[in-house]
Amino acid sequence: MSNVHGHASSPALPIAIAHRLGLARYYIAVAPFPVSFFTNSQKHTPEIPTPLTKTKAEKNTAARKMNRRQFQRGRRIQITLSVFVGLFLCFSNVDASIHEYRMEAFSPKANAFFFHGGSEGLYASKLHEPTTDSSSEIKPSFKGKSIISFDSVTFLRPKESAKSQQEMQQNTGLVEAIILEVKDRERIGGASLKSGAICCNKQLADQGSCKLGEVIIQNNPDNFGWPKRIKTFFQGTNEEAKMDFETVEINSTGMYYLYFMFCDPQLKGTLIKGRTVWKNPNGYLPGKMAPLMTFFGFMSLAYLVLGLAWFLRFVQFWKDIIHLHYHITLVIALGMCEMAVWYFEYSNFNSTGTRPMGITLWAVTFGSVKKTLSRLLLLVVSMGFGVVRPTLGGLTSKVVLLGLIYFIATEALELVEHLGNINDFSGKAKLFLVLPVAFLDACFILWIFSSLSKTLEKLQMRRNLAKLELYRKFTNALAVSVLLSIAWIGFELYFNATNPLSEFWQIAWIIPAFWNMLAYALLVVICVLWAPSRNPTRYAYMEGMGEDSDEEGITLTGNSGDMAMKLERQAIGDDLEEDKRE
């Protein structure tokens, strides 16, 4: 959750957008509710008198309307499936910690041309001595080491550039691969030489500061040989230059960037293809993702403990179970599956260096279903369905439609984020996917708190003390979660504003972890409030009119008792009329 109350002046949308743009994984808290309205929303709706007979024209008109609704529903389902299939096909061959280059172009910068080959947080190697694999005395083993390796990286220059060279001439073009730690970024280019150039020019070469035609690099005296420079030359009139297979060992923990650069203007239009492999000492997971594997394992156990406790309570009072408890069980099961699947997805990623498509797709889908169902349950329970009103009336279709749209938007965003390359996708593409989700989150926030306010008002007017106390506790839990969410969003915005180059990558994992912890904590609160007991119906909507006086422990006699009963009947009648109007 990201806001406090459902007024028109509420900053729900800006908060939701800021939250989404901060790369957070926040979840609206899970709330229980008997969602029988999905399948039988008219169970308690009073019958409406209808004519005993209909003309043939009226029957034909009704049939046409029904066929049109079925056609529109089918079209929506077809479009939804097409979107998911398209996204799946777009990312069906995407690697993760293995950075792929597919005929990418270089961009001009000052007097140089560059291509960003990747960036990841890497921990220092645990083993520094050269070792060999037990199965071969030649093949090196990188167990316990942090490395960046270049695999089949090839540069292709334009034909015009190649033909302008002499066939017997060597070194007719230079491309440099530069690996640097983020703290050494000022050592690239002529900033230390009071020059805005990136490549060495004749004036700087004459001063002996650098070599003409190469990128200016000032070596770090505290880390010999860094930033690392690897040269690849074009030969004669060849259009291709293949980079030697090389592995760079990382002996210092930090955020590392890889750039491919050239200074020769004749190489303008050069393309790059191939891949680089980035590995940490304990596996292929990037540094800021590695702690999340442990976290997801911990959360899987936490959901398992909660599920066992809930199951024991469920079995103990199985004769007194109401529909509400089945839906709480469903949310717990979804959370357990989501965390477990994410753990196995990260574990596989860490072992192989690529993201398993099947597991990732399941994890994303479980997460999207859980978030959608959580928001719907929270919204409907805030409306008082099953407590102060028997049905949602005309709101049922609106609630279901909002949930369907939210699921589609969330699924698309999560697919792009988790099935794309490990580098962030472009800001415009991200904004295009983030804005719909942020807007829908804002709609949920406003609708939830405005409905909750109306429900509390109705309970207070009817003096249903037990239900009122339950909803007050529920409201307090939501308010605390909202305050924590707003405070954490502020921290997240500050963190991202002061960390544009991911220098604090080692603690970045706590941002998505917080939202999972908050959702779990609120789910625990809900399980406690709506725990199975010997008398659960005191919280449910009852058609009988005498429940409130029993549950409140108030003795009503004489005319005062009759008056209370009349007021109760009138209030329920008003609710039914309101349902029909909606």
Side-chain angles (χ1 to χ4, degrees), residues 21-196:
L21 290 178
L23 291 178
R25 303 279 195 278
Y26 82 104
Y27 295 85
I28 279 191
V30 179
F33 185 79
V35 289
S36 55
F37 70 94
F38 286 117
T39 56
N40 189 17
S41 60
Q42 303 301 324
K43 182 177 180 180
H44 301 287
T45 304
E47 294 184 359
I48 300 175
T50 56
L52 294 178
T53 60
K54 292 184 178 181
T55 65
K56 185 175 181 181
E58 289 175 340
K59 292 181 180 179
N60 292 337
T61 302
R64 283 196 299 270
K65 289 182 178 180
M66 181 173 293
N67 291 336
R68 186 159 52 250
R69 284 196 296 268
Q70 291 176 350
F71 175 76
Q72 292 174 350
R73 189 181 299 112
R75 288 290 297 171
R76 286 196 294 268
I77 295 174
Q78 184 180 1
I79 293 172
T80 302
L81 293 175
S82 300
V83 170
F84 289 149
V85 171
L87 287 170
F88 183 82
L89 292 176
C90 288
F91 298 104
S92 59
N93 293 314
V94 175
D95 290 314
S97 194
I98 299 176
H99 296 253
E100 293 274 1
Y101 316 127
R102 300 182 178 92
M103 303 300 288
E104 310 284 351
F106 286 71
S107 302
K109 179 71 173 179
N111 63 338
F113 296 83
F114 79 98
F115 172 76
H116 181 212
S119 58
E120 286 187 21
L122 296 174
Y123 292 94
S125 298
K126 295 180 179 179
L127 300 174
H128 301 292
E129 298 80 6
T131 59
T132 57
D133 195 300
S134 57
S135 62
S136 172
E137 296 183 357
I138 300 176
K139 183 180 178 180
S141 173
F142 300 113
K143 185 177 181 181
K145 292 186 177 182
S146 196
I147 61 167
I148 301 174
S149 64
F150 298 83
D151 186 6
S152 303
V153 177
T154 305
F155 307 102
L156 297 90
R157 61 180 172 181
K159 293 182 178 180
E160 296 76 11
S161 176
K163 292 179 179 179
S164 65
Q165 307 296 330
Q166 297 182 6
E167 186 174 356
M168 302 303 295
Q169 185 179 359
Q170 295 182 347
N171 302 342
T172 56
L174 171 64
V175 180
E176 301 174 79
I178 299 173
I179 306 173
L180 69 147
E181 194 177 349
V182 66
K183 64 182 181 182
D184 292 333
R185 59 187 180 276
E186 298 296 334
R187 298 183 177 276
I188 304 298
S192 59
L193 303 176
K194 298 181 180 180
S195 172

Side-chain angles (χ1 to χ4, degrees), residues 515-576:
W515 302 109
N516 286 280
M517 290 292 293
L518 183 62
Y520 178 80
L522 198 48
L523 177 58
V524 171
V525 171
I526 291 169
C527 289
V528 172
L529 291 178
W530 275 275
S533 64
R534 296 192 183 279
N535 187 24
T537 55
R538 68 183 184 275
Y539 297 141
Y541 177 85
M542 299 292 291
E543 293 186 0
M545 299 304 174
E547 60 161 341
D548 295 332
S549 59
D550 292 337
E551 73 182 27
E552 296 173 19
I554 299 176
T555 303
L556 300 176
T557 59
N559 294 333
S560 62
D562 295 338
M563 182 62 69
M565 299 302 293
K566 290 179 180 179
L567 291 174
E568 182 71 16
R569 290 189 183 97
Q570 183 180 357
I572 293 178
D574 293 342
D575 287 343
L576 293 177

Side-chain angles (χ1 to χ4, degrees), residues 242-314:
K242 189 171 183 179
M243 191 174 180
D244 294 334
F245 179 83
E246 187 162 347
T247 299
V248 178
E249 184 176 343
I250 306 298
N251 295 320
S252 176
T253 299
M255 173 60 69
Y256 285 84
Y257 283 76
L258 169 62
Y259 290 98
F260 296 95
M261 306 180 72
F262 62 83
C263 301
D264 189 354
Q266 293 185 358
L267 294 178
K268 183 178 180 180
T270 296
L271 304 177
I272 179 175
K273 66 178 182 179
R275 68 177 191 172
T276 55
V277 179
W278 305 56
K279 178 184 174 298
N280 268 295
N282 295 323
Y284 291 96
L285 270 178
K288 58 183 177 181
M289 294 176 66
L292 286 174
M293 183 175 71
T294 304
F295 172 77
F296 286 134
F298 167 78
M299 289 302 299
S300 299
L301 294 176
Y303 272 101
L304 179 61
V305 171
L306 178 61
L308 289 175
W310 181 261
F311 177 75
L312 293 176
R313 189 84 177 179
F314 196 96

